[in-house]
Amino acid sequence: MRQSHKFLEAIDMSFYRRYGHQMLIMVGLLLFFMFSRQALANPFATPNDFRAESCPSGHKKYNIANNASTDPSLSFWESGEELRTFTFNENSGSKVFTISFSDIEDIYLGNGRSESPFYDSLNGVTSSAITLSHISTTVKTNHSLTVQVDRSVSKIGYKIQDLDSTGSSNQIPYIEEAEAFNNGRLTYSPYFHEITNNSKVTGRAGRNCSLNECNIDATWPYSTANSPVVLKHRNTRSDRGLTSTHSVGYSDFYFCLAPPKIIVNKLLDGSRVDGDDQFRIELQRTDNNAFVEAFTTTGSNDVVTDNTTTVTTLTEGVNYTVSEQIINGNLLDYQTTYTCSNATTGTDVVFSSGEMPVNADGTRRTFAINNVSYGDEITCNVTNTPSQYTFSGTVFNDNGGISSNDKFDTSSTFTGNSAYFNGIYDRSVESGINDINVQIRLTNCSDTTYATTSINEEGKYSFSFPSNFISVGQSGCVVQDEPNEWTYSVDTTANEIPITITEGNYTYDNLNFGEVQINNTALVLEKQQYVHDCSATLNYSSILDNETDPSLGFSEVTAKVDPGQCIAYKITATNRGNIVLNNIVISDTLQKEGVDGATVTSTLADAISTADGFATDRAIGYNGTITTQPFSLNKEAPRSFYFNTQYGTSNSNTP
């Protein structure tokens, strides 16, 4: 991995460079699509093929039977029904063909027919067809026929039966006409028909055809999934005062699906880590690892050329992998994502999108495309973004979500809450701290600061740097600088978090700093006193606790003390949090103050030593501050400290 050995001191420029690269990619894609639209509206489109009732070579044909006992068959069309779907059930996924009629006018209700369209064979007119009969009262559009498939089709078509005119050359109540839209094409019989632009066929006046004598093939070339193809049927003539019935039938519906196809594009979001890094994309079969298509990009910095496959034909029932390698560089210098889409709906093809998985040695990334079938039109984009180091975390209130601010509470409210004062950001119950005066610095763990930021309103912070920001194995520290005056003055974590950069790891998150307010600190101190007459044989362990009268035992109740009397003190330290408290030092200053015109002085009545948990020897008669030695405290393992004092006054002979 090619890395620099220094942190970058300016971090904002990475944002602007990234933004600029994204804009260039967007412009490039726009130009690509503009060019593609000029060259070929859809890269998956197959060449137009208007040969009647045939499919292009290698394509799969689906027929709707004119008359059959099982679906899909036209014979299941119910009279008066204007829409029906025909489903082809296959292991590779169902294909749905839809026929619908609209704008139906002037329906003929004779010949025992009460509804139209209907499925039947009319004597001498139509054969096993969906038939519509109209009365030729006026010149108008009689109906529209729309057909669509839920797959991209290479071809779609059907037959039109009995499009003609009346048999009389003198009196002509109707002339039928059919016009195909959406790039459709019609055949015609020159004796019975005239044709315009290969898409509109009009019956010749006075020429009436019999069964199968003037059939027309209607054909549409490539269309995308669910794109409707439309044909309109009209009556173009009606002699005044004459009426007649004209019928038309539709049969032999079919569509064609091309073999599955794929295009793989290589994109770069940003500039190469090294200007000569190139990317190789390979498409392989998984059954025999045979290469199907491959390319290696060219270009330098943020320009990527030769970065796409041709439209590649796949084989139904075969699974494939798309893999990426890097030439001249390190694949782990980039974060690689992929997105795939299928222009065809209803297919069973399996793929996903997201981070492109990397193999164990970090040399190849691969994803799978499975269950491809006819009609699939798959586009996959593989996008490389130069890897960025990201350092992030949250300054949080480590109170376990407890609302109580009782600094002496050692009940299960605190001790039974595993999230309280544990040094871990428990997001479900704890929240970040909102204080813009808290600063987070990225340093070399010594006297050099590389970047500084403030926490946001949710207590979060983040630093981002390009991949040549720091070398693998190099260390740094994230440091929290707290305000001088701050409500959250008790730390549950250290204010400096060390980091060591490891191979392939660009994200260093959860670098969190825990705090609590003073009343939520884990250390609880309880001080009790016992008033006595300076017994020479004082035994601390035999003195009762929690008495209401301090002359009977240790008590939190304050009592009047006469000069010359002694007070024994018990200080109990309890850890109600979930982490060990280290280096605790408790200090207490013996009293010396004015009371009723006299100076009351408290002095040690017994010498103390390190064996009692205090820091240094103190002699009898000492007045000042005494301290414990540093100690550690586990959760719910209280520790008590004792010392004995005697009270006197400056105008008294009492020592």
Side-chain angles (χ1 to χ4, degrees):
M1 180 179 289
R2 298 170 297 285
Q3 307 276 3
S4 69
H5 290 275
K6 296 192 301 182
F7 286 52
L8 296 182
E9 296 186 13
I11 65 172
D12 289 341
M13 288 302 296
S14 65
F15 168 77
Y16 293 107
R17 284 196 294 268
R18 182 178 177 86
Y19 180 78
H21 292 318
Q22 291 173 337
M23 291 300 294
L24 288 173
I25 289 173
M26 291 175 64
V27 171
L29 288 174
L30 179 61
L31 292 174
F32 169 78
F33 288 129
M34 289 176 62
F35 175 80
S36 298
R37 286 176 178 271
Q38 294 173 357
L40 186 64
N42 186 330
F44 294 106
T46 55
N48 291 348
D49 182 358
F50 293 104
R51 293 174 301 161
E53 298 186 81
S54 67
C55 286
S57 177
H59 294 207
K60 189 172 182 180
K61 186 176 182 181
Y62 294 82
N63 291 291
I64 298 177
N66 293 338
N67 190 357
S69 59
T70 59
D71 278 335
S73 171
L74 289 184
S75 60
F76 288 91
W77 192 279
E78 296 182 3
S79 295
E81 190 174 47
E82 295 184 5
L83 181 148
R84 176 172 280 270
T85 59
F86 301 86
T87 302
F88 297 82
N89 294 309
E90 297 183 315
N91 292 334
S92 58
S94 299
K95 288 79 176 172
V96 179
F97 185 93
T98 302
I99 301 174
S100 63
F101 292 92
S102 60
D103 305 322
I104 301 176
E105 298 283 351
D106 296 339
I107 292 297
Y108 174 66
L109 301 180
N111 295 330
R113 301 293 177 182
S114 60
E115 296 179 287
S116 191
F118 55 88
Y119 171 82
D120 207 345
S121 296
L122 291 182
N123 186 28
V125 179
T126 62
S127 173
S128 300
I130 301 173
T131 303
L132 295 95
S133 296
H134 300 277
I135 301 173
S136 58
T137 56
T138 58
V139 174
K140 62 168 58 175
T141 296
N142 297 129
H143 62 261
S144 296
L145 169 58
T146 301
V147 176
Q148 59 192 94
V149 185
D150 68 342
R151 305 287 179 106
S152 294
V153 295
S154 57
K155 192 174 180 181
I156 193 167
Y158 51 83
K159 285 188 180 296
I160 305 171
Q161 300 184 28
D162 198 59
L163 188 139
D164 56 12
S165 176
T166 184
S168 171
S169 59
N170 298 320
Q171 295 178 325
I172 304 174
Y174 69 88
I175 296 177
E176 293 182 272
E177 180 180 88
E179 183 174 6
F181 296 85
N182 314 97
N183 200 28
R185 182 171 294 186
L186 305 179
T187 61
Y188 75 112
S189 299
Y191 178 79
F192 294 103
H193 303 139
E194 296 176 346
I195 192 166
T196 305
N197 296 326
N198 292 316
S199 61
K200 182 166 66 174
V201 173
T202 307
R204 290 185 179 275
R207 296 184 180 179
N208 186 263
C209 58
S210 59
L211 181 64
N212 295 327
E213 194 173 14
C214 61
N215 287 351
I216 297 170
D217 287 302
T219 309
W220 284 261
Y222 175 88
S223 63
T224 57
N226 293 308
S227 295
V229 296
V230 178
L231 180 130
K232 291 184 179 294
H233 177 275
R234 306 184 183 97
N235 174 33
T236 65
R237 181 169 175 176
S238 182
D239 285 351
R240 186 181 301 274
L242 296 177
T243 60
S244 182
T245 302
H246 52 89
S247 300
V248 64
Y250 302 97
S251 63
D252 299 275
F253 291 87
Y254 71 95
F255 63 93
C256 307
L257 297 183
K261 299 176 182 178
I262 190 172
I263 297 174
V264 182
N265 301 311
K266 183 80 194 93
L267 305 176
L268 182 62
D269 182 7
S271 188
R272 290 170 171 83
V273 174
D274 271 4
D276 61 350
D277 286 349
Q278 300 299 346
F279 310 95
R280 178 171 174 80
I281 298 293
E282 297 175 351
L283 177 65
Q284 294 176 268
R285 296 172 59 122
T286 56
D287 56 348
N288 57 13
N289 292 323
F291 285 102
V292 178
E293 182 71 77
F295 66 85
T296 300
T297 63
T298 57
S300 61
N301 298 321
D302 59 352
V303 177
V304 183
T305 52
D306 298 323
N307 62 329
T308 185
T309 62
T310 58
V311 178
T312 303
T313 299
L314 307 177
T315 301
E316 185 176 60
V318 173
N319 296 333
Y320 294 84
T321 59
V322 177
S323 62
E324 177 193 51
Q325 295 173 283
I326 194 168
I327 310 298
N328 304 325
N330 189 330
L331 192 63
L332 298 181
D333 282 347
Y334 299 86
Q335 295 173 333
T336 305
T337 58
Y338 69 101
T339 58
C340 292
S341 60
N342 189 1
T344 293
T345 59
T347 178
D348 286 348
V349 65
V350 177
F351 51 70
S352 58
S353 298
E355 184 76 18
M356 195 167 173
V358 65
N359 63 358
D361 58 6
T363 59
R364 182 185 292 268
R365 295 180 184 270
T366 305
F367 66 89
I369 298 176
N370 299 329
N371 297 347
V372 296
S373 62
Y374 278 86
D376 284 335
E377 297 176 342
I378 304 165
T379 300
C380 292
N381 293 329
V382 178
T383 303
N384 284 42
T385 303
S387 297
Q388 285 193 320
Y389 287 106
T390 301
F391 308 91
S392 62
T394 303
V395 179
F396 67 98
N397 184 357
D398 197 7
N399 69 346
I402 298 172
S403 59
S404 171
N405 287 321
D406 186 348
K407 63 181 179 181
F408 298 111
D409 186 354
T410 57
S411 71
S412 61
T413 298
F414 287 86
T415 60
N417 187 329
S418 62
Y420 163 69
F421 211 97
N422 63 359
I424 300 171
Y425 184 20
D426 298 285
R427 290 170 174 80
S428 62
V429 293
E430 295 173 338
S431 59
I433 295 172
N434 180 5
D435 193 331
I436 62 173
N437 294 313
V438 178
Q439 300 288 301
I440 308 296
R441 292 183 293 121
L442 190 62
T443 75
N444 67 343
C445 303
S446 183
D447 55 358
T448 301
T449 296
Y450 301 107
T452 302
T453 188
S454 299
I455 60 175
N456 66 13
E457 61 185 10
E458 296 177 342
K460 299 182 184 299
Y461 72 90
S462 179
F463 300 101
S464 294
F465 300 89
S467 57
N468 57 3
F469 161 65
I470 187 173
S471 299
V472 171
Q474 190 172 344
S475 298
C477 286
V478 176
V479 179
Q480 176 188 221
D481 294 327
E482 301 171 354
N484 292 330
E485 299 290 335
W486 202 31
T487 304
Y488 297 88
S489 57
V490 179
D491 296 330
T492 68
T493 62
N495 283 333
E496 182 173 290
I497 303 175
I499 307 165
T500 299
I501 302 303
T502 57
E503 178 76 30
N505 184 12
Y506 290 88
T507 301
Y508 298 82
D509 54 8
N510 292 319
L511 304 174
N512 303 321
F513 297 96
E515 316 287 338
V516 295
Q517 298 181 19
I518 186 65
N519 283 357
N520 284 139
T521 185
L523 180 63
V524 178
L525 297 178
E526 179 187 26
K527 186 176 183 181
Q528 298 185 80
Q529 57 189 3
Y530 168 55
V531 180
H532 61 100
D533 292 326
C534 300
S535 171
T537 59
L538 186 66
N539 183 353
Y540 293 119
S541 62
S542 66
I543 302 172
L544 298 176
D545 287 332
N546 301 315
E547 291 292 331
T548 57
D549 185 345
S551 65
L552 300 177
F554 286 119
S555 174
E556 294 182 1
V557 177
T558 302
K560 186 177 184 299
V561 182
D562 294 328
Q565 281 189 300
C566 289
I567 300 180
Y569 290 97
K570 178 182 180 181
I571 299 175
T572 302
T574 301
N575 178 5
R576 62 181 181 178
N578 289 283
I579 55 178
V580 177
L581 302 179
N582 296 308
N583 297 315
I584 303 172
V585 175
I586 301 173
S587 63
D588 197 357
T589 301
L590 302 186
Q591 185 178 6
K592 187 174 184 178
E593 60 182 329
V595 179
D596 297 331
T599 301
V600 177
T601 303
S602 175
T603 61
L604 287 175
D606 301 302
I608 61 175
S609 67
T610 55
D612 300 310
F614 290 93
T616 57
D617 292 339
R618 296 299 185 191
I620 295 174
Y622 173 78
N623 172 261
T625 300
I626 60 174
T627 61
T628 65
Q629 297 180 91
F631 66 95
S632 298
L633 199 61
N634 293 322
K635 179 180 180 180
E636 297 186 271
R639 182 172 178 182
S640 297
F641 302 87
Y642 302 91
F643 61 93
N644 192 25
T645 65
Q646 186 176 31
Y647 274 72
T649 61
S650 59
N651 58 357
S652 169
N653 293 325
T654 303

